[in-house]
Amino acid sequence: MPRFESDSDARRLGEALAALRQERGLSQAQAGERVGMTSQGWGLYEAGKRPGLFRPDVQRRLTAALEATPEALALKLDPAAAAPGLAPAHGLESGGRAFTASAATTRRLQLSNDDLAPWAASGVVVEYEPGRWPRRAQGCVIEMADGEVRVRLYDHADPEALFVRGVRGDEERIARAETRQVSAVVARLDV
């Protein structure tokens, strides 16, 4: 999630949390109970009055209570963050309190360079799920608008750009307008 500075950003993030809660059919009291807080405490997060909602650990805790993820919160905050051409996330899909596995299709790509060594060297095959958004420090396959395919380690994103890392650990900024699809690497296969 991007870093937020203003009160309006805090309010928007709280509204995104409220939208996730309402989709799950939970009251503030029910959601708060799942994380050991009162309905008033939960309501302060939704009103943007608690700056702790910007912290990744707090986001994980609160979204887990809603059987969701911080990525789902980010998409509620900015549906355009899915980027043009990006498919909805796959993996686990909520069906209320029960989870069912999604029928995701995977693709394979053999690396032809050592840009990500030692994480993955030339010759390694990565398996990825198109449209599944990566977590921080997870490998990702980025299909660029010009047809180029890049494999990097995902760091974070904001509405304008993706921030990824290569082997040297240098952060690379890729404008979302230059990407067609971002996919999470789900396996490395040594061939």
Side-chain angles (χ1 to χ4, degrees):
M1 299 272 328
R3 170 165 267 177
F4 297 93
E5 303 290 336
S6 71
D7 288 341
S8 67
D9 289 335
R11 190 171 38 259
R12 285 183 38 237
L13 188 56
E15 289 168 358
L17 182 66
L20 275 179
R21 176 186 54 78
Q22 291 164 356
E23 281 180 0
R24 299 324 191 258
L26 297 172
S27 68
Q28 287 181 343
Q30 291 168 319
E33 183 178 316
R34 290 180 173 194
V35 290
M37 71 174 65
T38 65
S39 62
Q40 292 85 2
W42 187 277
L44 288 172
Y45 281 117
E46 288 186 1
K49 307 260 186 212
R50 276 199 170 163
L53 186 52
F54 300 135
R55 292 181 20 206
D57 61 316
V58 172
Q59 288 179 10
R60 280 191 301 273
R61 192 171 135 232
L62 297 178
T63 56
L66 302 175
E67 297 173 344
T69 63
E71 290 81 8
L73 181 63
L75 288 174
K76 276 290 170 210
L77 178 65
D78 182 11
L86 210 100
H90 293 288
L92 294 179
E93 295 178 351
S94 175
R97 291 183 63 71
F99 285 98
T100 56
S102 171
T105 58
T106 59
R107 294 186 189 161
R108 291 184 177 184
L109 175 69
Q110 186 167 16
L111 301 181
S112 59
N113 58 43
D114 288 327
D115 285 352
L116 290 178
W119 183 80
S122 180
V124 168
V125 174
V126 292
E127 192 169 274
Y128 63 99
E129 286 185 21
R132 180 175 177 177
W133 199 258
R135 297 181 316 272
R136 176 170 256 147
Q138 183 176 14
C140 65
V141 175
I142 305 164
E143 296 175 35
M144 305 298 290
D146 65 3
E148 178 189 1
V149 176
R150 299 181 189 178
V151 181
R152 302 288 191 269
L153 294 177
Y154 176 79
D155 190 62
H156 67 284
D158 66 25
E160 288 83 36
L162 302 172
F163 296 88
V164 295
R165 296 189 183 280
V167 67
R168 292 179 301 278
D170 297 334
E171 186 173 83
E172 179 181 352
R173 181 185 189 277
I174 302 172
R176 284 185 182 261
E178 297 174 7
T179 65
R180 185 173 49 225
Q181 180 164 281
V182 178
S183 307
V185 171
V186 295
R188 286 180 297 206
L189 310 169
D190 294 316
V191 185

